[in-house]
Amino acid sequence: MNSSNSSPKEELFTPKAVQNPYPVYARMREEEPIAKLMFPDGQFGWMITRYEDAVEILRDQRFVKDMSKMFGSEYQSIFTSNMLFSDPPDHRRLRGLVQQGFTPKLVEAMREHIQQIADGLLDAVEGQDTMELIDDYAFPLPIIVISEILGVPVSDRDKFRVWSNSIVGAANAEEGPDVYLHMQQFTEYLAQWFEQLRKQPGDDLISRLIVAEDAGERLSEQEIYGVVSLLIIAGHETTVNLIGNGVLSLLQHPDQLKKLQDNPELIKGAIEEMLRYNGPVEFSTSRWAGEDLEFKGHAMKRGDLVIVALDSAGRDGDQFTDPDLFDITRERSRHLAFGHGIHMCLGAPLARLEGEIAINTLLRRFPNIKLREDANELEWRPGMIVRGVKEIPLSL
């Protein structure tokens, strides 16, 4: 498609833009920052690309997350009965119960253990000439961590990996042939597991949720499924792509890679820049206009779908100086990689810690890593939620 005579929104979901959406986003922010368009799944809705508008939408409670309010309870599933897809007051109750597993103190107490996991995964590739970053490192590290927090038995982690990949793929519009089978296996597994924990609860987060009472309110059966599926699936997927996209950005900017290797204490700021520059979650999850309303001069009807392009907001020149420059010493940026407002990701401190440990440990253990393929040839996952590369082959 010739960009000179086509509108940027027509280019947004083309293979070229999946590889690198940022030039398209720059034109959208300039020409049509609040655009009505058709999404890859055939739905029409609004795409928000500017930072300032994104913040307003993410905070505006006229836009609702609970699909059943808009379209009836038949649209509710175990994958949506959680705080990510709920509105106040349900949201507050659900989040309050889950937050107890992710306090800053609890997360910081995991530092040493996450370090051991990272070292163990890199021990497994020591002595090899090559590694595949996603499969060998970026994927297993967060799935091990979240499994331990939740109490998933070690012997079942590989199953969770298969199910999680399949279900996220479906949500990301890359539906595989086995997705319904995997959803069924996942829910059957959870049912048996919960039954066992009711009889013999442990000190893991799932046991605490099953027996929890918050102001006299237990989680319903559906909500326990919803929360667990959110934590297992979304809870590690973001971190996989934070590590993958972050390492890729460093490899594409050798000066920044060297700077971080020489000054590992810069890692905190480096993680924030990775999240801003090429964040792991490209789009917000769905919101709907809860009433007929006007937003910045655009008339939106009740039920209109609204999606925020989080990665576009991260490159908005009105918010960030030199937004297309990758600079790990940039002053801490108020990026939207973990969302904003009441739905801000409660696992953000854990994801940041995992990213810091994973990336610094990789650079320390293998100081000469290089990409084994041209970065432009890497295959990005298509779809509407996560932004990440399928494989990153490295030479060690």
Side-chain angles (χ1 to χ4, degrees):
M1 216 175 253
N2 183 345
S3 60
S4 61
N5 56 21
S6 64
S7 113
K9 67 186 183 186
E10 291 169 4
E11 297 173 45
L12 186 57
F13 302 111
T14 60
K16 185 178 175 186
V18 169
Q19 288 289 112
N20 178 14
Y22 296 104
V24 178
Y25 285 142
R27 286 184 57 211
M28 286 184 73
R29 289 193 302 272
E30 189 67 35
E31 296 171 28
E32 203 175 349
I34 299 171
K36 190 89 185 267
L37 50 78
M38 189 168 87
F39 293 103
D41 62 3
Q43 289 189 85
F44 271 94
W46 298 90
M47 175 69 79
I48 314 295
T49 50
R50 279 187 190 156
Y51 182 95
E52 194 181 307
D53 298 337
V55 167
E56 283 194 42
I57 289 275
L58 295 173
R59 292 173 65 171
D60 191 333
Q61 293 195 11
R62 294 178 301 169
F63 296 96
V64 301
K65 301 286 311 246
D66 184 346
M67 197 176 186
S68 64
K69 277 187 191 166
M70 305 304 307
F71 309 110
S73 57
E74 67 270 23
Y75 286 97
Q76 194 81 333
S77 82
I78 69 151
F79 299 106
T80 58
S81 300
N82 55 54
M83 54 276 183
L84 185 59
F85 300 102
S86 61
D87 303 303
D90 284 342
H91 172 269
R92 188 174 171 188
R93 175 176 60 87
L94 291 166
R95 190 178 175 108
L97 283 164
V98 177
Q99 206 144 13
Q100 59 185 311
F102 295 92
T103 63
K105 189 178 174 187
L106 275 176
V107 168
E108 186 54 38
M110 297 176 70
R111 179 180 292 275
E112 198 176 315
H113 186 51
I114 295 170
Q115 183 65 60
Q116 288 169 353
I117 294 167
D119 280 320
L121 290 167
L122 293 179
D123 287 346
V125 296
E126 187 86 59
Q128 295 176 193
D129 296 330
T130 62
M131 76 181 281
E132 203 289 286
L133 182 72
I134 304 297
D135 268 0
D136 292 340
Y137 192 52
F139 198 109
L141 185 142
I143 198 91
I144 292 169
V145 173
I146 197 69
S147 296
E148 291 185 355
I149 291 173
L150 296 176
V152 177
V154 177
S155 55
D156 293 335
R157 281 181 202 154
D158 284 346
K159 292 182 202 165
F160 273 82
R161 182 173 177 176
V162 171
W163 296 335
S164 170
N165 253 348
S166 183
I167 293 163
V168 169
N172 210 35
E174 45 180 306
E175 202 163 294
D178 297 326
V179 66
Y180 293 107
L181 173 66
H182 290 152
M183 284 182 177
Q184 187 185 346
Q185 289 172 340
F186 181 61
T187 50
E188 285 171 0
Y189 177 94
L190 292 183
Q192 290 170 358
W193 185 24
F194 295 166
E195 196 50 47
Q196 201 177 322
L197 290 179
R198 279 197 178 86
K199 293 172 190 157
Q200 283 184 301
D203 62 356
D204 54 84
L205 181 59
I206 300 302
S207 295
R208 293 207 297 276
L209 289 175
I210 282 174
V211 298
E213 286 195 28
D214 181 47
E217 278 197 89
R218 290 177 183 272
L219 287 173
S220 72
E221 188 80 5
Q222 180 97 341
E223 287 167 345
I224 294 174
Y225 279 111
V227 166
V228 173
S229 58
L230 174 68
L231 293 174
I232 290 171
I233 295 165
H236 81 273
E237 193 71 31
T238 316
T239 314
V240 174
N241 296 308
L242 163 56
I243 297 167
N245 296 3
V247 170
L248 186 58
S249 296
L250 289 170
L251 292 168
Q252 291 174 298
H253 299 85
D255 60 321
Q256 299 298 301
L257 173 64
K258 182 163 191 330
K259 193 180 283 185
L260 184 56
Q261 284 179 312
D262 293 345
N263 308 278
E265 70 280 2
L266 295 176
I267 187 64
K268 277 189 167 25
I271 292 291
E272 298 311 306
E273 180 67 344
M274 291 164 190
L275 288 162
R276 179 201 72 83
Y277 180 77
N278 196 9
V281 181
E282 188 165 359
F283 301 106
S284 69
T285 47
S286 302
R287 283 168 172 71
W288 293 271
E291 58 193 64
D292 290 353
L293 57 88
E294 187 180 292
F295 183 80
K296 302 285 178 87
H298 295 269
M300 297 183 178
K301 294 275 184 208
R302 182 180 189 277
D304 274 8
L305 173 64
V306 181
I307 301 276
V308 174
L310 301 170
D311 277 353
S312 173
R315 298 281 190 106
D316 189 335
D318 290 340
Q319 178 69 21
F320 304 101
T321 311
D322 290 331
D324 295 322
L325 182 73
F326 180 67
D327 175 11
I328 65 167
T329 59
R330 185 185 290 273
E331 288 203 5
R332 183 167 177 140
S333 62
R334 297 166 67 88
H335 59 72
L336 302 178
F338 292 117
H340 187 79
I342 64 167
H343 290 284
M344 180 125 181
C345 172
L346 66 74
L350 179 61
R352 285 183 164 109
L353 180 63
E354 289 173 325
E356 288 170 23
I357 292 170
I359 291 172
N360 259 1
T361 306
L362 178 71
L363 300 187
R364 186 182 73 245
R365 298 271 304 262
F366 298 105
N368 302 313
I369 55 166
K370 291 197 171 49
L371 265 178
R372 279 169 43 220
E373 274 182 32
D374 178 347
N376 298 317
E377 300 299 312
L378 298 175
E379 188 183 352
W380 291 83
R381 294 172 68 167
M384 278 302 302
I385 300 179
V386 298
R387 174 158 179 77
V389 186
K390 289 187 175 180
E391 293 182 347
I392 302 180
L394 298 179
S395 87
L396 302 178

